[in-house]
Amino acid sequence: NAGVTQTPKFQVLKTGQSMTLQCAQDMNHEYMSWYRQDPGMGLRLIHYSVGAGITDQGEVPNGYNVSRSTTEDFPLRLLSAAPSQTSVYFCASSPRGTGDDEQFFGPGTRLTVL
Amino acid sequence: GDSVTQMEGPVTLSEEAFLTINCTYTATGYPSLFWYVQYPGEGLQLLLKATKADDKGSNKGFEATYRKETTSFHLEKGSVQVSDSAVYFCALSQNYGGSQGNLIFGKGTKLSVKP
């Protein structure tokens, strides 16, 4: 199993550009999520999905879109990048999305918006 | 809303020293509690968890006990190694309701262990 994979590892964007961060998992997990990690802030939830076709907003959803057309993939779209979106982005998945589930994290995407 | 507070870092220890990283939480009901660890340049991985009051999670010599009366989940290790150098995150997740499964993290504590 590859686990949770993310691409790209690094990305530099200019303000106003759009892009998609890819996330895939091969563990047949129902629950997937996106977090951003900022210095001194810990990780904050952006969007999550409890199954294919179902998505919902987390704590900091503004400026981001998601979709979940398959169990395996959960892309995160930046519609019009802003410097405030400079961050490290982590995708995670868990088997059922229950409170006691272990979440498995990808290696992260470091995004810089100029 | 629910929240997690953990001690500020960085923490610097000598090898074989005793480690405590304090974590307290505010939450309704009875959430599950977690410690995740992030090694340099990597994603987070689960270190240990506890899902109900008085449970003790343990892994790789680390321990934490779910204390409902003090709303705490402090991480301890009796003898740290250089390889334990990492950032440690305390987190909680509700077991019921629409937000179950969503993790709420503390800000993280960076640990450096010197030989």
Side-chain angles (χ1 to χ4, degrees):
Chain A
N1 284 351
V4 179
T5 58
Q6 292 183 237
T7 56
K9 293 183 72 93
F10 302 94
Q11 183 70 50
V12 178
L13 291 178
K14 294 180 179 178
T15 297
Q17 288 185 318
S18 63
M19 79 160 294
T20 299
L21 280 63
Q22 301 292 344
C23 173
Q25 53 90 9
D26 62 357
M27 298 173 282
N28 201 32
H29 286 174
E30 289 298 317
Y31 178 95
M32 297 186 73
S33 56
W34 278 101
Y35 293 87
R36 59 178 288 172
Q37 182 180 26
D38 301 296
M41 297 291 292
L43 280 79
R44 292 178 292 169
L45 182 65
I46 304 171
H47 286 284
Y48 65 99
S49 169
V50 298
I54 306 169
T55 63
D56 208 344
Q57 295 180 352
E59 179 185 356
V60 287
N62 291 343
Y64 307 95
N65 272 359
V66 292
S67 60
R68 183 100 179 268
S69 57
T70 67
T71 299
E72 295 78 18
D73 299 299
F74 191 44
L76 178 72
R77 297 183 185 84
L78 281 68
L79 308 174
S80 176
S84 60
Q85 294 178 303
T86 294
S87 188
V88 181
Y89 292 85
F90 288 100
C91 180
S93 72
S94 68
R96 301 158 298 165
T98 56
D100 59 346
D101 256 0
E102 173 184 358
Q103 292 205 24
F104 296 81
F105 285 79
T109 294
R110 183 175 294 274
L111 175 68
T112 301
V113 182
L114 302 175
Chain B
D2 297 346
S3 64
V4 174
T5 302
Q6 62 182 103
M7 64 186 285
E8 300 281 334
V11 174
T12 302
L13 296 174
S14 297
E15 208 165 23
E16 299 184 0
F18 184 84
L19 169 71
T20 300
I21 301 178
N22 290 337
C23 171
T24 57
Y25 68 91
T26 301
T28 57
Y30 299 89
S32 291
L33 302 175
F34 303 84
W35 279 99
Y36 281 84
V37 59
Q38 183 180 31
Y39 297 104
E42 299 183 7
L44 281 70
Q45 56 187 271
L46 179 68
L47 180 60
L48 54 83
K49 71 177 185 181
T51 59
K52 61 182 186 295
D54 300 324
D55 267 2
K56 177 186 284 188
S58 62
N59 186 25
K60 299 181 181 180
F62 291 89
E63 293 183 340
T65 300
Y66 189 163
R67 302 287 188 198
K68 181 68 176 174
E69 63 276 14
T70 55
T71 61
S72 64
F73 193 55
H74 305 321
L75 182 67
E76 296 183 337
K77 187 176 186 183
S79 176
V80 295
Q81 305 300 313
V82 173
S83 56
D84 294 327
S85 297
V87 181
Y88 293 81
F89 291 93
C90 186
L92 70 80
S93 180
Q94 287 291 354
N95 291 304
Y96 301 97
S99 64
Q100 70 167 310
N102 296 344
L103 287 169
I104 296 171
F105 286 92
K107 294 183 178 182
T109 302
K110 183 175 182 179
L111 170 67
S112 296
V113 181
K114 306 299 183 185

